[in-house]
Amino acid sequence: MRLSCVVAVGLALVGLVFGAGDAAALNAPHTLHRSHTQAQHLSPARAHSRAAARHAAPAGRTAARAAAPRTRGAARRASLRTRRHVSGERFTASSFATPGIFDGDITAGENPLVRQAAIDALDGMNGTAVVIDPSNGRILAMVNQKLALSPGAEPCSTIKVSVALAALSEGLVTRDTMVHLSGFRMNMTEALAHSNNLYFEELGRELGFERVRHYANQFGLGELAGYNIKGEQLGQYPSEPLPASEGGVGRMCSFGQGVSMTPLQLGAFVASIANGGTLYYLQHPTSQAEVASFQPKVKRTLDIARYVPDLEAGMAGAVQYGTARRLRANFSELPVFGKTGTCSDNGTRFGWFVSYSQAPQGSLVTVFFLEGGRPTFGPRAAELTGAFYKNLWDRNYFAEKAQQTAAVAPAADRGLVAASVGANQ
C-alpha cells in the first residue's frame, strides 16, 4: 500500500475500503477446493453469503491486489460488526518514542554495529527491533528491551506464516493450489504476498482449531522463546477457539485475534524457517565473556525443510510487490523474505514486520514491532527494516562478516567453540 502525502486522509480512505471487505469476509463461509492434480477432496461447498458476493474481487492478479488491503482492515476490532465507523477509529497512543526509551537496555554482549543500525532505522518511532542469527539463536541486538520482553501483542497478519506452514505440513495445499473464495481464486504465494484474509480464514476452518494450535505450539507460540533471558514474559496461545460470533478459528488464522505473541517468539519461529527447521532457544549474551563461551541450545527440530521454498515464494512476493514492498525503497541489494502485520486494540495500533535476509555470509532474522497511532502499521515496519539492512550494507557489515568467517576457519577446524562465535559477532 502506498500512502499519499497526506497520511491521515490516505489511511482513512483505505480503512473504509478495508472495513467493507472485512465485514464480508467475517460473515461469509467459503470452501477450499484443491486443484485437479490433487486427489484428496475437502469439505463440500458451502453457501456464499450475499455480503461476500457483493464485495468479491475479480479473478487473477487483480483479485489478489484488491484483496490485499483487507489485511489491515480486518485487523481493526472496531470494524468487526460494522463498516461505517472504521474511518473514525481513534488512537490514543503515540507512534513516536519518548526520551530514554533505550535506557536500561543491556548491551555489553550485543554487536554494536547491528544495534546502532537498528536504532538508526527506528528513527524515533516507538517500537523494538530484535536481530537474531538463525544459525545459532544468538540475539545480536535487542533495541528497547522493555518492549521486546513484554507479554506481547496480537500478532496481526504475521500469524499467517504459521497457518501456512501448518497447512503445507498437513498436505492441505501446496503453494500452487488454487483456493476458491468469493468470486475469485488464489494460491498461497499470492495470499502471503498480499496478506489475504479470506484465504487464511479458509485454511483455518479446514485445519480446525486443534491442528492449528498443535502447530502453533510446535513453532514456539505459547512458550518462552529465550533461554534464561532475564525479564522475558510469556505470550499466550488460547486453549479454545474464538466463539463463532467473533469469527472462530478462521479469524484467529487471518490475523491472530485472541493470540498474544512476543517479538522473541516470532523471531525464534522465523529463524527456524531461515535455517531449515531448527528451533533454537534464543540467547542474549550480556557480556563479552558470555559471547566468548556462547554455545547454541536446540529446543526442538521441526520437519519443515521441504516446505520452506513454498513459504519463501510468498514471503519474497510480499517484499517484491506485496504488502512489504516499501522495504525495497530503502534496500534491494540482497534477497529478503518477510511478512507484515497491522491491527489495533484499545486505542493502540500495532505494526509488525518479520523477515530474514539471504546473503553468502549468512542470514539475519529481524523483527520490527511498532506501537502507536495512525502512523504505525506493518508496511511502515517493513520500510524501517529496509533502512536497517541499508545501514548494515553501508557500514560494510556483510563484507566484514565474510572476513571474520575466513579468519576463524582454522580455529573451527580445531573444533573450538570460539570459532562459531567469532564468525557472528
Side-chain angles (χ1 to χ4, degrees):
M1 177 179 67
R2 292 193 176 98
L3 296 180
S4 66
C5 294
V6 185
V7 175
V9 174
L11 286 173
L13 292 174
V14 170
L16 285 171
V17 177
F18 296 178
D22 220 20
L26 182 59
N27 295 323
H30 308 282
T31 301
L32 184 154
H33 300 279
R34 294 179 179 234
S35 64
H36 66 277
T37 60
Q38 293 174 285
Q40 182 178 353
H41 296 287
L42 299 174
S43 60
R46 304 183 183 98
H48 295 301
S49 71
R50 295 176 64 183
R54 186 162 54 249
H55 298 292
R61 179 175 285 265
T62 301
R65 295 184 185 275
R70 294 182 184 132
T71 304
R72 290 175 288 279
R76 298 179 180 177
R77 294 182 178 180
S79 65
L80 182 62
R81 302 185 191 283
T82 179
R83 54 183 285 195
R84 78 180 78 174
H85 298 301
V86 172
S87 63
E89 186 178 9
R90 294 190 176 186
F91 300 106
T92 57
S94 172
S95 294
F96 304 101
T98 57
I101 192 172
F102 308 133
D103 291 352
D105 283 5
I106 300 173
T107 65
E110 294 190 354
N111 181 309
L113 193 156
V114 173
R115 178 176 178 84
Q116 191 59 52
I119 291 174
D120 292 346
L122 282 170
D123 193 27
M125 296 289 287
N126 181 34
T128 181
V130 180
V131 185
I132 301 164
D133 183 339
S135 70
N136 56 24
R138 179 187 164 192
I139 297 176
L140 300 175
M142 180 164 47
V143 175
N144 190 1
Q145 292 169 15
K146 182 178 180 180
L147 180 57
L149 300 174
S150 70
E154 197 166 283
C156 315
S157 287
T158 63
I159 198 69
K160 291 178 169 74
V161 179
S162 68
V163 176
L165 194 51
L168 291 167
S169 299
E170 287 291 305
L172 191 66
V173 292
T174 70
R175 69 180 177 185
D176 299 319
T177 303
M178 299 304 293
V179 176
H180 292 249
L181 302 166
S182 292
F184 66 98
R185 304 187 307 161
M186 181 173 285
N187 62 25
M188 180 173 287
T189 297
E190 292 297 298
L192 281 170
H194 296 290
S195 202
N196 184 270
N197 279 349
L198 296 178
Y199 180 94
F200 287 97
E201 287 178 7
E202 182 57 33
L203 288 192
R205 284 190 288 265
E206 294 292 345
L207 284 166
F209 176 74
E210 291 303 324
R211 285 196 288 181
V212 169
R213 183 180 64 169
H214 167 76
Y215 281 100
N217 292 158
Q218 283 294 302
F219 300 153
L221 277 66
E223 62 187 26
L224 291 176
Y227 185 84
N228 290 338
I229 296 181
K230 185 177 180 180
E232 181 189 5
Q233 299 183 59
L234 181 64
Q236 299 293 327
Y237 198 90
S239 58
E240 297 180 354
L242 287 175
S245 61
E246 297 182 24
V249 66
R251 196 155 180 88
M252 295 178 71
C253 293
S254 62
F255 60 94
Q257 184 169 323
V259 179
S260 178
M261 183 173 64
T262 70
L264 267 61
Q265 289 172 334
L266 181 57
F269 167 47
V270 172
S272 74
I273 297 173
N275 67 37
T278 302
L279 184 65
Y280 286 105
Y281 284 102
L282 299 186
Q283 298 183 72
H284 184 233
T286 59
S287 67
Q288 285 302 306
E290 290 184 10
V291 172
S293 61
F294 181 89
Q295 294 187 52
K297 296 185 183 298
V298 177
K299 180 183 288 189
R300 66 180 68 95
T301 301
L302 307 173
D303 184 19
I304 62 172
R306 74 191 88 167
Y307 309 119
V308 170
D310 287 1
L311 279 177
E312 281 188 339
M315 295 173 75
V319 173
Q320 292 167 5
Y321 57 85
T323 58
R325 62 185 179 272
R326 291 173 63 150
L327 181 147
R328 297 180 68 246
N330 289 324
F331 185 75
S332 59
E333 284 78 6
L334 294 173
V336 178
F337 310 89
K339 184 71 192 74
T340 57
T342 307
C343 53
S344 59
D345 184 27
N346 294 326
T348 299
R349 201 175 195 189
F350 308 130
W352 294 90
F353 184 65
V354 61
S355 69
Y356 60 95
S357 60
Q358 192 175 77
Q361 300 82 10
S363 297
L364 288 177
V365 168
T366 63
V367 180
F368 273 67
F369 172 58
L370 309 176
E371 287 188 342
R374 202 165 293 279
T376 295
F377 55 110
R380 177 62 172 153
E383 183 179 7
L384 300 185
T385 302
F388 164 75
Y389 283 121
K390 184 66 163 57
N391 291 339
L392 289 182
W393 184 269
D394 289 346
R395 297 167 189 176
N396 298 315
Y397 171 80
F398 296 101
E400 291 177 4
K401 189 174 181 184
Q403 294 171 2
Q404 291 170 350
T405 302
V408 300
D413 292 339
R414 296 194 300 271
L416 298 179
V417 172
S420 62
V421 176
N424 296 291
Q425 287 184 351

